[in-house]
Amino acid sequence: MGLFSGTESLAGLDLGSSAVKAVELRRVRAGFELVRAGLEPLEPGAVAEGAIEDAGSVSAAIRRVFSRSRIRARRVATSVSGHSVIVKKLTLPAMSREELEESILWEARQVIPFDLSDVHLDHQVLASAPGREDTRVLLVAARRERVESRLQAITGAGLTPVIVDVDGFALQNAYEANYGSDAAVTAALLHIGASVTNVVVTRGGLPLFTRDVSAGGHQLTELLQRQLGMGFEEAERMKRESPVEALEAGPSGALLQSATEALLLEIRKTLDLFEAAGEGESIQRVYVSGGCSELAGLMERLQSGLDLPLEPLDPFKSIAVGRGVEEESLYRQAPSLAVAVGLALRGFHD
């Protein structure tokens, strides 16, 4: 699924709110091998809730991560997320291809709260359930300004963007490449970033539900900065290195606990929305990735709050690591690289 498409081998480029992540893969006999990967922090405010505010700064970070990681690919796949992206599942009667195209366009005008001239629109016809003759379609729309700002930052770094995908679909790609697509398992994927948490529910290779939550690790950082009068980098270091319980026992305890609980509440609410949709599906397992999933004690909070089997999503579980990759650095960065891995895999899809 993608707003633009291509078939060549690509580098996956995830432009997050706190860092630029890049991954280059190659196909080998046993599957895929990681060639290079890297992560480059962004200046605070360069990207805010998925919107690029400083294209020049982002372009510079892209150039640095490609140079320092020695990524050779010049063509990239990237993605969008947040409130400017609309994903809707449509159920339509069986009809001809021409009729389907017209019907999808009509449905898009009904469900997308933007003028269609202001969005990039794409769709994918999903496999029909056994015994059903209707047509299920996944409709995706992304604000043009959000897409164009990403293209500007990438071309400004001297690279060629050939695919624009959605964070949630890239996350599902990474999950399927590493864990398979068991039709008997309904899994929830959580990618907890700095300002956006991507939530995807999937089974048998199909996205059943996707939603982006405007909550992440930046809320905790901002609280530490505001309450303790410290700089961004110092607050980030304290947040990552101090146990949640220790932070909550300190001067900002009540606020930090409130911010953590707000994130958990949004995740629980999102999963409840899926189960209340009436498709008869129950989530059986949760996989968690994203840089902010590494916050001390957060996985334990998620486990107790969701009351479901939960484990970290390893984006390299079934992907071989090439000889030129420094494994200690990769181990530290792996939770942040899941979306970039899913984007790199797009280069091998028809």
Side-chain angles (χ1 to χ4, degrees):
M1 185 75 197
L3 303 175
F4 304 150
S5 62
T7 58
E8 295 186 24
S9 178
L10 310 169
L13 181 61
D14 177 14
L15 305 179
S17 294
S18 65
V20 169
K21 288 84 72 175
V23 167
E24 186 175 11
L25 303 174
R26 68 181 174 195
R27 193 186 292 277
V28 294
R29 182 175 298 177
F32 298 100
E33 180 180 84
L34 175 65
V35 179
R36 294 280 187 271
L39 180 152
E40 188 70 25
L42 283 166
E43 293 292 329
V47 178
E49 294 190 4
I52 293 179
E53 304 292 345
D54 185 348
S57 176
V58 175
S59 293
I62 295 171
R63 286 193 294 270
R64 288 196 301 272
V65 74
F66 271 65
S67 174
R68 292 174 180 175
S69 303
R70 295 174 294 168
I71 294 174
R72 294 180 180 178
R74 299 292 94 186
R75 298 163 71 82
V76 302
T78 192
S79 56
V80 290
S81 65
H83 294 308
S84 69
V85 180
I86 307 295
V87 179
K88 295 286 186 181
K89 189 187 296 183
L90 308 176
T91 301
L92 304 171
M95 60 185 74
S96 70
R97 178 177 296 183
E98 292 76 14
E99 292 172 326
L100 182 62
E101 294 286 344
E102 292 181 8
S103 184
I104 289 171
L105 192 59
W106 187 89
E107 292 284 347
R109 293 192 181 99
Q110 313 309 308
V111 300
I112 294 173
F114 311 123
D115 191 303
L116 293 192
S117 64
D118 294 332
V119 302
H120 284 290
L121 195 66
D122 197 4
H123 73 272
Q124 180 172 324
V125 178
L126 305 175
S128 296
R132 296 182 59 167
E133 296 183 357
D134 52 23
T135 302
R136 294 185 299 164
V137 176
L138 201 61
L139 179 68
V140 183
R143 293 293 296 267
R144 286 187 180 275
E145 59 188 28
R146 182 66 60 92
V147 173
E148 299 303 327
S149 67
R150 271 165 161 62
L151 302 184
Q152 178 186 352
I154 293 168
T155 56
L159 303 173
T160 302
V162 296
I163 290 177
V164 180
D165 207 334
V166 174
D167 281 10
F169 298 152
L171 181 61
Q172 180 175 336
N173 284 346
Y175 165 73
E176 289 177 13
N178 287 283
Y179 296 85
S181 52
D182 190 344
V185 176
T186 301
L189 316 177
L190 311 178
H191 187 77
I192 305 174
S195 60
V196 175
T197 295
N198 311 119
V199 182
V200 179
V201 181
T202 179
R203 177 177 51 79
L206 293 176
L208 303 177
F209 180 87
T210 179
R211 183 173 184 247
D212 292 335
V213 176
S214 294
H218 270 348
Q219 284 83 350
L220 300 180
T221 304
E222 290 168 358
L223 281 171
L224 289 171
Q225 286 183 271
R226 186 165 60 247
Q227 296 299 313
L228 302 182
M230 57 179 59
F232 178 83
E233 292 185 1
E234 185 180 1
E236 277 285 300
R237 185 169 58 252
M238 175 178 284
K239 179 185 73 175
R240 293 181 180 281
E241 296 177 359
S242 302
V244 172
E245 292 80 3
L247 290 174
E248 291 178 351
S252 300
L255 287 173
L256 284 168
Q257 185 173 9
S258 175
T260 303
E261 287 301 321
L263 173 60
L264 298 180
L265 179 62
E266 284 297 327
I267 292 172
R268 282 198 300 266
K269 184 166 68 175
T270 297
L271 299 184
D272 287 344
L273 280 173
F274 163 73
E275 295 201 337
E279 295 197 19
E281 300 281 353
S282 295
I283 296 166
Q284 296 156 292
R285 183 167 292 276
V286 180
Y287 294 88
V288 185
S289 60
C292 293
S293 68
E294 293 290 280
L295 298 182
L298 184 59
M299 289 290 284
E300 290 79 6
R301 292 291 180 89
L302 286 171
Q303 178 72 75
S304 61
L306 299 178
D307 194 27
L308 286 166
L310 180 146
E311 64 180 276
L313 189 155
D314 180 358
F316 303 106
K317 181 177 185 291
S318 300
I319 294 176
V321 177
R323 292 182 180 179
V325 179
E326 204 279 299
E327 293 199 31
E328 183 178 347
S329 175
L330 179 67
Y331 176 79
R332 293 195 305 270
Q333 296 175 355
S336 299
L337 296 176
V339 169
V341 167
L343 291 170
L345 288 164
R346 283 298 309 275
F348 304 98
H349 292 181
D350 292 332

